Amino acid sequence: MEESMFYRAPGAPTDPNADYLVRATAYDGHVRGLCIRTTGVVSDAFAIHGTSPAATAAFGRFLTGSLLLADTLKNKEDSQTTNIRSDGPIGGMTAVCDSRRNIRGVLHHPIVETTYRAPGKIDVSAAVGKGILTVVRDLGLKEPYVGSVELVSGELAEDFTYYLAVSEQTPSVVSLGVLLGADGVRQAGGFLVQVLPGAPDHVIDALEKRATGGFPDITFLMEEGLTPEKILDMFLGDPEIIYLGAEPVQYACNCSRDKMERGLLTLGEEQLRELSQTEEGIEISCHFCKTNYHFDKDQINRLADSARKT
Ligand code: ZN
């Protein structure tokens, strides 16, 4: 069997450049790992929001971390909203994921100044600043689950790690990366490794060593052509790694003309009549995907009619 075939999880897309998430377990089930390629997701986000380099890096890491966190969503209607409110130039970011690994997001200020920590290393924390990371999981229960932590670094991988430590009391390693080229996103991805309760000390030690001992940037490994499976295998270092499966991930919005109409209806009859006075009608743009929905005078008046009836 070819090596490249060996390192493929069941369900991985045949297109070698597609975005997908891989799940694995290692060390007799004591360690759980996820690795994800999000180059397409972050490219789409960049194209939609027109982000400057620092914002692309920050938003890309944020979307990638959100997808890793959303892996526990299982049912069709489950959703997760991650939100950062911060005092840096970006101001804040929001991402919504569903159980089919669709993600959409929005950021307050897509164009921010780009500064560097080192040659070629964008200073993401300078763009994000200090603030709060909040995760809302709606799993179809009476109340959504809400957890939030203060940002500890603003580089985002550390912030997601801290969130997992506090909210799930699970020691985790999170790595996130976005590599930019001259005309867009070259690579984006991340991994999440969790040590489950009862793991032997030698396993914890080995993973800690790898996490702190200069394991290469994930985008460097991706640039070398490594698949998410192979990256996870390298980090975990267990020849007995078991790939549980893979799933495509994508930037996808669920907006529709119907939803926009329902939003307009909440304005009530009076305000809709006022809007219908505008000769050219109105244009509503979706925050997440920038699709424009145009409503002309007659359409707004019809909405006002139905608003009166309800
Ligand atoms: Zn949309």
Side-chain angles (χ1 to χ4, degrees):
M1 202 187 274
E2 265 182 68
E3 189 190 60
S4 60
M5 289 298 293
F6 180 75
Y7 292 111
R8 292 296 278 168
T14 44
D15 175 0
N17 299 314
D19 282 358
Y20 66 103
L21 172 113
V22 169
R23 298 183 190 92
T25 162
Y27 299 104
D28 292 322
H30 287 303
V31 176
R32 159 181 186 263
L34 304 170
C35 189
I36 190 168
R37 172 158 57 216
T38 52
T39 309
V41 166
V42 180
S43 299
D44 287 352
F46 165 67
I48 290 166
H49 295 285
T51 40
S52 67
T56 308
F59 194 42
R61 287 189 197 177
F62 176 66
L63 294 172
T64 304
S66 298
L67 277 165
L68 288 171
L69 226 60
D71 184 58
T72 48
L73 304 181
K74 293 285 175 263
N75 301 312
K76 196 167 166 247
E77 302 298 323
D78 291 356
S79 74
Q80 171 196 282
T81 303
T82 39
N83 181 266
I84 284 180
R85 256 171 208 287
S86 61
D87 64 3
I90 279 189
M93 304 181 272
T94 301
V96 185
C97 307
D98 66 25
S99 58
R100 279 156 297 170
R101 320 298 151 210
N102 296 311
I103 189 164
R104 59 188 193 274
V106 63
L107 68 174
H108 289 202
H109 302 292
I111 311 229
V112 299
E113 196 195 338
T114 300
T115 56
Y116 294 85
R117 279 189 292 121
K121 300 253 183 211
I122 290 173
D123 191 343
V124 169
S125 63
V128 174
K130 291 185 176 33
I132 306 274
L133 165 67
T134 303
V135 180
V136 180
R137 283 208 179 100
D138 188 345
L139 306 174
L141 306 170
K142 229 183 203 169
E143 299 283 334
Y145 168 84
V146 184
S148 82
V149 294
E150 248 174 75
L151 297 178
V152 288
S153 94
E155 287 288 322
L156 301 180
E158 292 88 339
D159 304 302
F160 280 107
T161 306
Y162 182 61
Y163 172 82
L164 288 165
V166 171
S167 73
E168 298 186 4
Q169 283 98 47
T170 313
S172 312
V173 180
V174 179
S175 170
L176 303 170
V178 174
L179 178 68
L180 302 176
D183 48 5
V185 179
R186 283 188 66 86
Q187 308 285 355
F191 63 78
L192 162 62
V193 170
Q194 293 190 304
V195 180
L196 303 176
D201 286 345
H202 72 92
V203 171
I204 299 172
D205 290 349
L207 292 175
E208 245 167 32
K209 226 171 256 166
R210 223 154 292 142
T212 54
F215 190 77
D217 282 350
I218 182 162
T219 52
F220 171 80
L221 299 174
M222 294 172 72
E223 193 77 349
E224 296 289 302
L226 270 56
T227 62
E229 286 93 331
K230 181 67 186 160
I231 293 167
L232 208 47
D233 176 64
M234 270 180 69
F235 186 85
L236 293 175
D238 176 9
E240 307 292 316
I241 184 171
I242 297 168
Y243 297 112
L244 302 172
E247 260 183 87
V249 302
Q250 53 279 317
Y251 194 104
C253 191
N254 64 349
C255 67
S256 65
R257 195 172 175 84
D258 243 32
K259 282 192 182 162
M260 292 297 169
E261 278 183 9
R262 268 177 272 154
L264 281 173
L265 277 172
T266 63
L267 294 176
E269 188 193 357
E270 203 177 322
Q271 216 180 333
L272 285 167
R273 294 277 182 231
E274 233 166 81
L275 284 174
S276 73
Q277 302 302 309
T278 345
E279 206 47 51
E280 62 277 17
I282 54 166
E283 187 117 319
I284 307 174
S285 173
C286 171
H287 298 306
F288 293 110
C289 70
K290 307 283 180 197
T291 302
N292 287 319
Y293 295 89
H294 181 258
F295 293 87
D296 65 24
K297 285 176 72 159
D298 293 347
Q299 288 167 327
I300 301 166
N301 266 320
R302 273 201 294 279
L303 284 171
D305 292 345
S306 28
R308 185 180 52 202
K309 281 177 210 146
T310 50

